[in-house]
Structure formats: C-alpha cells, structure tokens
Amino acid sequence: DIYNLNLYHTINENNNSVVGLQKSDIKFKKSVWHLNEQNNRSNRVIFSKGFRDFRVDSLVLSHENEEIRLAGQMRDSTYKNFQMEFDNVDLYKITPEIKKLSMGGIVDGSLSLLQENGAYYPNSSLTVKDLVINDELLGNLNLDVMGNRDLSFYNVNATLRNKGLESLSAIGEIDVDEETPRINLDVELRNFNMAAFSPIGGEVITNIRGLISGNANVTGDYRNPDISGRLYLKNAGLSIPYLQVDY
C-alpha cells in the first residue's frame, strides 16, 4: 500500500551491477514491514549486463518477530535456483482482502524452484499453525506440493488436524495445462466444522453450522469440477440430528 525504499547502485570488480537495499519499509494491511531491518550489505541483487546472470544474495522482509527471506540465482536460461522461507508469519498479514473470507494462522516453511538443464523441480512445504477462517479455529494445516519437470503437473498432499485428530485430508494431482486445466483430488472429512463458511452463504444460506464427515472425489476442470461422494452432517441445528447426502 505504501512503499519507502532506499536503494543504491554500484559496479563490482567483475563489472556486474549491484543494487543494494538499505533499510526500507512497506505498509500492507495496516502493518509496517521492514526490508533489511538490520541495514547490512547482504540485502542486494547482482546482475550482469543484459541480465544473463542474476543473483539475490538475500532479501529479508520482517515485522516484529516475523520474517520472509528470499535468496537464489539464475544463470542464462538454463539454470535457476530460488528459495523463499517463511518464519512465524501471520497469514492474515500477507494475504489480500477477500470479501466474506478472512484467514489467520502462523505460517512456517519454504517454497523452492530449481531449473537445471531445461527441467524444473518446484516444491513447497508449508505449515499453518492455528488456522482460523472467519473467526473459527480449524486446527493445524500441513501442505506439501511438488511439481513436475515442465511445471504442468503438481502433486498435492494437504492435511488439517484439529485437537490431534485429522479433520481434513486432500491428496491428488493438479494438471495446469493451459487448454484443459484439470484436478483430481481425494478428499476425506472427519467432523469438519462448517461454521467457518457461514458468511459465504450470504442471504441465501444463513447460519451454516454442523460437523461434516465423509469422502469425496473432486475431478475435472478445476474451474468447475465434478464432485462425487457421500457426506454426513451432524449437529446442524436441523429438526433431525443427522443428515446423509449422496452426490
């Protein structure tokens, strides 16, 4: 929202350009984040003429005890190796405003992208402790994603645990082919709290609540997938205590 950047530029002994970041700050969603809060010389980007070779020594974004770190390098068009790390980062502070959907929790983990000899090796391993959606505590989320060599296919393994019990599991693949992007996920729910999604129902469906369990297969175009399975809803405040839905 507001940027206050302090940069310098110089040429090093190898005749490469060096753009350094001195202590700076940005404001996003009312929180002020510091870039290179320690004001050291390692927060810099080094590149050759024409950007053929490019290196990020270290870029550190911090807010109180939260840190996001980026480092890596690129050599011509055949090699890239970048890593981004999250340490004790508040999910709410780094996600955009979404109508009727607020998210919170503490993010730890890493994202990495390696390209070597024309092949890509992307993967991520993230945890969100005490995930909160619309003021409802859902538990701890673990998310592992690994991509294939050309970035067209991803394996996904996500689990959500609440009070030591697994309340959600989603395992499968996402194919991001430009013409026919597809998804194939096996989803298992165990006493998953639906109250977090009540605001999404708007005026049509109000006061969504209850614990939902069951299995579902989500397949097809991920912009409008097909869902099949069997779900059980209990404690929904209905005149019947238990509801089974096949779809």
Side-chain angles (χ1 to χ4, degrees):
D1 298 326
I2 299 175
Y3 300 85
N4 179 26
L5 303 180
N6 299 307
L7 307 173
Y8 68 86
H9 175 262
T10 187
I11 303 294
N12 66 11
E13 64 276 8
N14 297 318
N15 204 33
N16 290 327
S17 290
V18 179
V19 175
L21 187 67
Q22 296 175 319
K23 187 175 181 179
S24 306
D25 60 75
I26 63 174
K27 186 176 182 181
F28 179 65
K29 290 175 70 173
K30 300 182 180 181
S31 295
V32 176
W33 290 81
H34 298 283
L35 285 157
N36 190 12
E37 186 174 11
Q38 302 302 319
N39 205 28
N40 58 52
R41 296 183 61 85
S42 64
N43 281 248
R44 60 182 185 172
V45 176
I46 303 170
F47 54 92
S48 62
K49 186 177 181 180
F51 284 90
R52 181 175 175 85
D53 296 322
F54 183 92
R55 186 174 86 240
V56 178
D57 275 359
S58 176
L59 292 179
V60 180
L61 187 64
S62 59
H63 171 77
E64 297 178 352
N65 63 337
E66 307 168 42
E67 276 194 359
I68 302 173
R69 299 180 291 271
L70 173 66
Q73 61 180 317
M74 177 182 72
R75 295 196 299 268
D76 54 61
S77 61
T78 62
Y79 180 84
K80 298 181 183 70
N81 190 1
F82 289 95
Q83 302 86 36
M84 179 176 286
E85 297 180 346
F86 298 84
D87 187 4
N88 201 44
V89 177
D90 187 340
L91 180 64
Y92 172 78
K93 294 175 183 175
I94 61 172
T95 51
E97 296 285 1
I98 303 174
K99 187 177 181 181
K100 297 182 180 180
L101 182 64
S102 64
M103 296 181 290
I106 302 301
V107 182
D108 289 287
S110 63
L111 306 172
S112 65
L113 175 64
L114 171 65
Q115 178 200 4
E116 198 167 22
N117 299 322
Y120 289 89
Y121 305 93
N123 67 81
S124 67
S125 181
L126 296 172
T127 64
V128 183
K129 182 181 178 181
D130 296 330
L131 175 65
V132 174
I133 296 180
N134 293 332
D135 298 323
E136 294 288 340
L137 178 63
L138 296 182
N140 298 328
L141 175 67
N142 294 309
L143 176 63
D144 294 303
V145 180
M146 181 171 291
N148 68 345
R149 294 164 63 93
D150 62 359
L151 303 181
S152 64
F153 187 88
Y154 294 86
N155 289 304
V156 178
N157 188 334
T159 57
L160 181 65
R161 292 185 176 273
N162 191 6
K163 298 180 180 179
L165 300 176
E166 187 174 288
S167 61
L168 181 146
S169 169
I171 300 174
E173 305 90 25
I174 297 177
D175 185 342
V176 293
D177 181 271
E178 291 184 3
E179 294 184 2
T180 56
R182 301 184 66 80
I183 189 171
N184 185 1
L185 287 177
D186 291 319
V187 180
E188 183 175 353
L189 300 166
R190 296 177 184 173
N191 291 331
F192 184 81
N193 188 356
M194 293 296 294
F197 302 96
S198 184
I200 300 175
E203 297 179 359
V204 178
I205 305 177
T206 61
N207 197 21
I208 299 174
R209 62 192 187 278
L211 302 176
I212 192 166
S213 301
N215 298 278
N217 184 235
V218 184
T219 59
D221 189 325
Y222 63 55
R223 294 164 297 193
N224 186 25
D226 296 318
I227 304 175
S228 60
R230 174 174 290 179
L231 296 178
Y232 305 90
L233 182 64
K234 62 181 180 180
N235 300 332
L238 303 173
S239 57
I240 53 175
Y242 191 80
L243 177 67
Q244 174 181 316
V245 180
D246 296 310
Y247 55 95

